[in-house]
């Protein structure tokens, strides 16, 4: 039973355009959400997070939106750059689970120059 | 700060062999984690620790053991390796409820 799903395994976007990555979750106890970026042969690196008390968090070119009623979050990258080509993982945690993260399956983003 | 370090980077094991994957962090983080990532999949939690001397099972603990004798180190032990344990293993650490910092991973093949 996948509690965090990223239904698009891959995404191709032109440099300078917007990348939109989506993530759905089923566990209503999740209250903290994170996005990680992963390059080949490296460990994931933290990108941006959002608490369930907010519906938007912005950091430079990266914005995460949270829709709690739909149990959906999205990551917007504007403008997309070739260096953004990577696999992006959505993750969620619940207070009862300590700091354990549940990860989605990832979305591979390719930014074309 | 080196952050989170893992050794070895690569390893090939024969079925039934055992090995220990090493993980160390120099950020004085209380929480440490072991994940595995299978091809095309997300990361699954194997074991985690909230501090020295305290460990607990994650989602996929079977076939693995851990210990946490110090804040810095969190080794993962594979006993009787099986082909199903072929994966990339990531160690991570965090302060408390915070973003986790990951090591570079260990690619393990069991044949």
């Amino acid at each position: 039973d996948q509690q965090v799903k990223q239904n698009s395994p891959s995404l191709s976007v032109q440099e300078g355009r917007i990348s939109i990555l989506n993530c759905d979750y089923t566990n209503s106890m999740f209250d903290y959400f994170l996005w990680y970026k992963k390059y080949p042969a490296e460990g994931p690196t933290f990108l941006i997070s959002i608490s369930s008390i907010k519906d938007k968090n912005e950091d430079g070119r990266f914005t995460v939106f949270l829709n709690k009623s739909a149990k959906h979050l999205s990551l917007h990258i504007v403008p997309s750059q070739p260096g953004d080509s990577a696999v992006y993982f959505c993750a969620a945690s619940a207070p009862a689970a300590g700091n354990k993260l549940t990860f989605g399956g990832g979305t591979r983003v390719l930014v074309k120059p | 700060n080196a952050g989170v370090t893992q050794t070895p980077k690569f390893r090939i094991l024969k079925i039934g062999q055992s090995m220990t994957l090493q993980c160390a962090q120099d950020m004085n983080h209380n929480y440490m984690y072991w994940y595995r990532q299978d091809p095309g999949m997300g990361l699954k939690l194997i074991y985690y620790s909230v501090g020295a001397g305290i460990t607990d099972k994650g989602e996929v603990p079977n076939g693995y053991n851990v210990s946490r004798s110090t804040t810095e180190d969190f080794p993962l032990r594979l006993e009787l390796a099986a082909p199903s344990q072929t994966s990339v293993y990531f160690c991570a650490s965090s302060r408390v409820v915070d973003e986790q910092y990951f090591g570079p991973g260990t690619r393990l093949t069991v044949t």
Side-chain angles (χ1 to χ4, degrees):
Chain A
D1 176 32
Q2 262 191 299
Q3 296 188 64
V4 179
K5 286 185 183 177
Q6 294 176 253
N7 290 317
S8 297
S10 64
L11 172 69
S12 183
V13 66
Q14 208 67 34
E15 181 179 5
R17 306 294 291 268
I18 183 171
S19 295
I20 300 177
L21 289 76
N22 293 304
C23 178
D24 296 294
Y25 62 95
T26 56
N27 187 345
S28 57
M29 299 303 293
F30 287 146
D31 69 344
Y32 191 64
F33 304 89
L34 307 91
W35 285 93
Y36 281 83
K37 177 178 179 178
K38 185 183 180 304
Y39 292 118
E42 293 183 12
T45 54
F46 169 75
L47 193 57
I48 192 169
S49 63
I50 188 166
S51 163
S52 60
I53 62 172
K54 300 173 83 172
D55 55 18
K56 177 182 173 181
N57 189 25
E58 207 169 340
D59 184 2
R61 296 186 296 114
F62 303 92
T63 303
V64 56
F65 296 91
L66 175 63
N67 182 334
K68 288 188 293 292
S69 61
K71 294 191 177 69
H72 177 85
L73 63 155
S74 61
L75 174 69
H76 293 206
I77 307 173
V78 183
S80 300
Q81 299 174 354
D84 296 330
S85 297
V87 178
Y88 291 79
F89 291 100
C90 167
S93 72
N99 199 26
K100 291 188 291 184
L101 294 181
T102 300
F103 282 84
T107 297
R108 183 179 301 276
V109 173
L110 176 63
V111 180
K112 297 178 180 177
Chain B
N1 279 1
V4 179
T5 57
Q6 291 183 239
T7 56
K9 284 189 168 45
F10 305 94
R11 184 72 186 267
I12 298 174
L13 280 183
K14 292 192 187 312
I15 295 170
Q17 286 185 321
S18 60
M19 76 165 293
T20 299
L21 281 67
Q22 301 292 344
C23 174
Q25 54 93 5
D26 61 1
M27 297 174 282
N28 203 31
H29 286 168
N30 288 324
Y31 286 63
M32 295 188 75
Y33 316 82
W34 275 104
Y35 294 90
R36 59 177 286 173
Q37 186 192 11
D38 299 327
M41 306 289 284
L43 285 78
K44 291 191 184 299
L45 183 66
I46 305 171
Y47 269 96
Y48 69 102
S49 168
V50 301
I54 306 169
T55 63
D56 207 348
K57 295 178 181 179
E59 189 182 350
V60 290
N62 291 345
Y64 307 94
N65 273 303
V66 292
S67 59
R68 184 96 183 269
S69 56
T70 67
T71 300
E72 295 77 20
D73 300 297
F74 191 40
L76 177 72
R77 178 84 178 160
L78 279 74
E79 304 281 4
L80 297 174
S84 61
Q85 293 178 303
T86 293
S87 191
V88 182
Y89 291 84
F90 292 101
C91 178
S93 71
S94 67
R95 285 178 298 171
V96 187
V97 181
D98 209 332
E99 61 261 26
Q100 296 178 15
Y101 295 80
F102 284 81
T106 294
R107 186 175 294 275
L108 176 67
T109 302
V110 182
T111 61

